């Protein structure tokens, strides 16, 4: 039920998340949860929708294994703002939040020359802080699941930077295959001083 609900909100109707037969015939042997939805649920649980993004904010999430439906996800808080997400006592993802980080800007229009650009729709100005971040995660989920690469795709990692200055790049999505014959894609989403790096 949550999977179908998130698919409607995000526009990510990738069959790997919704179709029993596709899930059964995949390398996972069952349907898997949207990674961006899991991350959204984590942020809601940690910040209770009251968190305001600081000028210095960084979140790094790495999905080590897939999340399955109808099974509780346990958040384990570790030292130094690190978290582990577990399901059935198996570590599925690791997350680190840093409110005091330094981001070295290596992203600019020249660097992104070889990336394919995807325009995104303007987001309502009423969406601020976490709600804006959730909308950006939904855009990422739709991009990976429906546009590039699309079928049977998954997100490996998400790195969110809330910057205190603008970057020399157009707002939108950028994607590029890391190696020609390998299905690993490096992506960036930039919107209103939020830069999200994600690998799919």
């Amino acid at each position: 039920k949550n999977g179908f609900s998130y698919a409607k909100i995000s526009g990510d109707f990738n069959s790997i998340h919704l179709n029993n037969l596709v899930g059964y015939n995949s390398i996972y042997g069952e349907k898997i949860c949207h990674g961006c939805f899991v991350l959204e649920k984590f942020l809601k649980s940690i910040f209770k929708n009251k968190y305001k993004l600081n000028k210095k904010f960084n979140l790094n999430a790495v999905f080590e294994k897939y999340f399955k439906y109808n099974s509780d996800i346990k958040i384990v808080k570790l030292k130094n703002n690190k978290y582990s997400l577990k399901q059935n006592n198996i570590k599925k993802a690791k997350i680190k939040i840093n409110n005091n980080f330094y981001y070295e800007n290596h992203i600019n229009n020249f660097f992104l020359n070889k990336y394919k650009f995807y325009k995104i729709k303007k987001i309502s100005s009423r969406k601020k802080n976490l709600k804006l971040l959730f909308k950006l995660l939904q855009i990422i989920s739709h991009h990976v699941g429906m546009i590039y690469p699309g079928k049977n795709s998954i997100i490996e990692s998400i790195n969110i930077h809330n910057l205190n200055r603008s970057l020399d790049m157009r707002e939108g999505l950028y994607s590029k295959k890391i190696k020609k014959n390998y299905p690993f894609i490096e992506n960036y989403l930039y919107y209103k001083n939020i830069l999200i790096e994600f690998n799919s």
Side-chain angles (χ1 to χ4, degrees), residues 16 25 32 50 83 93 113 121 137 141 143 161 163 191 200:
I16 196 71
N25 287 314
I32 66 173
K50 295 178 181 178
Y83 298 85
N113 255 344
K121 291 180 181 178
L137 289 174
S141 188
H143 177 73
H161 307 280
L163 309 172
Y191 189 81
S200 53

Side-chain angles (χ1 to χ4, degrees), residues 20-129:
N20 285 323
L21 188 59
V22 170
Y24 178 79
N25 287 314
S26 72
I27 60 172
Y28 310 108
E30 60 184 320
K31 292 180 299 187
I32 66 173
C33 299
H34 296 82
C36 288
F37 179 57
V38 173
L39 184 55
E40 181 179 312
K41 294 286 279 185
F42 165 79
L43 290 168
K44 283 182 179 178
S45 177
I46 294 298
F47 298 126
K48 312 297 182 189
N49 280 333
K50 295 178 181 178
Y51 189 74
K52 292 184 177 180
L53 295 178
N54 293 330
K55 287 186 177 180
K56 294 181 178 180
F57 174 85
N58 170 263
L59 180 145
N60 178 257
V62 178
F63 299 99
E64 299 178 341
K65 291 181 171 62
Y66 73 95
F67 287 90
K68 59 174 67 181
Y69 288 109
N70 302 318
S71 183
D72 289 342
I73 298 172
K74 184 180 179 182
I75 299 173
V76 181
K77 187 171 183 180
L78 308 171
K79 293 180 179 179
N80 300 321
N81 285 328
K82 292 180 181 178
Y83 298 85
S84 177
L85 302 189
K86 292 186 175 183
Q87 205 173 40
N88 299 324
N89 279 331
I90 299 172
K91 184 181 174 186
K92 298 294 185 81
K94 58 183 180 181
I95 298 174
K96 183 177 181 182
I97 298 173
N98 188 350
N99 287 327
N100 188 22
F101 81 107
Y102 172 73
Y103 177 74
E104 185 177 351
N105 177 17
H106 66 283
I107 311 297
N108 51 46
N109 284 331
F110 178 77
F111 174 82
L112 295 167
N113 255 344
K114 295 182 180 178
Y115 287 72
K116 188 171 181 181
F117 177 76
Y118 300 84
K119 192 175 180 179
I120 62 174
K121 291 180 181 178
K122 193 172 182 179
I123 301 170
S124 168
S125 58
R126 290 178 295 177
K127 293 186 184 296
K128 295 180 180 179
N129 300 317

